[in-house]
Amino acid sequence: MTAIRHLSLGHACVDVYQGMVAALVPYFVAERAYTYAAASGVVLAASLLSSVVQPLFGALTDRWAMPWLLPLSALTAGAGVALSGVTGSYALTLAAVAVSGVGVAAYHPEAARAARAAAGGGHTAMGWFALGGNLGFAAAPLLVMAVVGTGGLGASPLLLVPALVGAVLCAAAVRTAGRRSVSGHASAGPGRDDWPSFLRLSGAIVCRSVVFVGLSAFVPLYVRERTGGGEVAGTVALCVLYAGGAVGTVAGGRLAERYGRLTVVRRSYPLTVLAVAGVVLAPGPLAYLFVALASAVLYVPFSLHVTLGQDYLPRRVGTASGVTLGLTVSLGGLAAPAVGALADATSLRTALLPLVALPAVGRLLMCGLREPGAGDQTVVVGSASSSTA
């Protein structure tokens, strides 16, 4: 379990930078007078390059053990965000957050493989690994408020500190469990790759991701608008959004042990429709309650998506991890500019309304999916030989 603890904490130190990009949006709007569309472009820049390169990193880790990716990707993710506040132009800001996105992309396939191997296939242990990422998200707005809220965007280089800690933790995880058990790649699984099921699952995750990224980018501004609060009100809303995800992740792993992965995943999507509707429509401070509920139900299936994807593609575990844990999440950022442009043309409330329907679309995509066979659910950790079919 020592390796899982190190990997979970390292995950927090990497995913904090995904949360920081959204947390920086109100400061870009305040200090640089970005429009909603321009601000959402920052979120897009962090997601776009990440979404393109993530499957590549997944395919590479299917062929070779790459333990050095874990600490290096942590440093890269941190460096991009640290530079974003001191760049002199919008283009350089986009480039900086894009570099951070590449670091995040490089981290997830290898880390997910390592965590699954260290967890022995258990849903609860994988839930703890996913929880690390949620805690990183939850800490992001607090760190940004403490650093940028007091020192302005020019203080952003101080945000590199979590990356330094994460690099140390990732290196410790590799040393603790050994190169073979944590960073060595999985040999070809005993079953066949089920691409149709995997693609339908991925489509559902994209729907979920668009909702979460849309809320992450605009909930701080929306809650400030609805409650009449200042920057603190927006920061609290973002903290609630990310903290609720931590609760949902732990609950998802435990519920899956009792009721099965697909049952839990399928039931979470309709609940998300109701919770997101509450975020958009609830009056005043009640929005905080629905933000928490929406976050929890959005994250109940999070770690279960990852293990289902790995089991649908037992011969390409790295690729499956890169897509379910990274690519589909990053693709959510592609919708952010559309939400921002609609908000500029109408209102934030109108722009957020389409997010209510997307979980229902995700639930429809899940119809007919079956639990992978028992023979496909074991990740066999072997040598660093090629595992491609």
Side-chain angles (χ1 to χ4, degrees):
M1 290 301 292
T2 301
I4 282 290
R5 284 195 294 270
H6 285 154
L7 287 166
S8 298
L9 293 172
H11 195 188
C13 292
V14 172
D15 276 11
V16 72
Y17 293 105
Q18 294 194 79
M20 281 184 183
V21 172
L24 285 167
V25 164
Y27 297 97
F28 287 131
V29 171
E31 291 192 30
R32 299 181 179 177
Y34 286 176
T35 64
Y36 288 140
S40 61
V42 175
V43 178
L44 172 63
S47 303
L48 183 58
L49 191 56
S50 176
S51 67
V52 171
V53 302
Q54 192 126 208
L56 173 62
F57 282 111
L60 289 174
T61 59
D62 278 332
R63 298 182 64 88
W64 300 288
M66 305 174 74
W68 49 269
L69 264 184
L70 298 181
L72 178 61
S73 58
L75 293 172
T76 304
V81 167
L83 291 173
S84 67
V86 295
T87 53
S89 70
Y90 183 66
L92 289 176
T93 299
L94 296 183
V97 297
V99 167
S100 178
V102 171
V104 172
Y107 172 82
H108 281 106
E110 184 74 5
R113 178 198 298 287
R116 187 73 188 274
H123 301 314
T124 300
M126 280 298 290
W128 285 111
F129 169 71
L131 173 64
N134 301 149
L135 293 177
F137 269 108
L142 297 176
L143 291 173
V144 169
M145 183 173 64
V147 174
V148 179
T150 57
L153 288 171
S156 65
L158 294 175
L159 298 175
L160 182 63
V161 172
L164 300 175
V165 176
V168 172
L169 288 167
C170 289
V174 174
R175 288 196 305 270
T176 298
R179 181 183 178 92
R180 177 181 175 85
S181 61
V182 174
S183 300
H185 78 66
S187 61
R192 292 185 177 182
D193 293 334
D194 183 356
W195 282 102
S197 294
F198 179 77
L199 292 175
R200 288 167 62 188
L201 173 69
S202 298
I205 302 173
V206 169
C207 293
R208 175 250 176 224
S209 174
V210 171
V211 175
F212 183 75
V213 174
L215 292 179
S216 297
F218 296 107
V219 150
L221 297 169
Y222 185 63
V223 169
R224 285 169 58 182
E225 179 182 289
R226 295 296 300 277
T227 63
E231 290 182 356
V232 172
T235 299
V236 169
L238 199 56
C239 287
V240 170
L241 180 70
Y242 293 160
V247 174
T249 299
V250 174
R254 295 185 179 277
L255 289 170
E257 297 281 3
R258 183 170 181 178
Y259 299 108
R261 288 179 295 185
L262 279 175
T263 297
V264 173
V265 170
R266 285 172 176 150
R267 291 180 180 178
S268 69
Y269 279 76
L271 293 175
T272 303
V273 173
L274 300 176
V276 176
V279 172
V280 178
L281 302 175
L286 272 179
Y288 288 108
L289 171 63
F290 284 101
V291 167
L293 292 174
S295 176
V297 292
L298 278 167
Y299 267 94
V300 161
F302 186 70
S303 66
L304 309 180
H305 286 151
V306 178
T307 58
L308 277 168
Q310 290 173 332
D311 291 343
Y312 282 133
L313 299 184
R315 294 177 176 271
R316 294 174 174 83
V317 173
T319 299
S321 301
V323 173
T324 56
L325 195 57
L327 173 61
T328 51
V329 175
S330 299
L331 286 175
L334 299 179
V339 177
L342 182 58
D344 285 330
T346 56
S347 68
L348 266 178
R349 184 177 187 177
T350 300
L352 293 175
L353 277 173
L355 302 183
V356 177
L358 281 174
V361 177
R363 177 62 182 86
L364 289 175
L365 289 170
M366 297 286 294
C367 291
L369 286 185
R370 297 181 179 179
E371 184 74 28
D376 292 338
Q377 295 179 12
T378 302
V379 173
V380 181
V381 178
S383 65
S385 61
S386 172
S387 66
T388 56

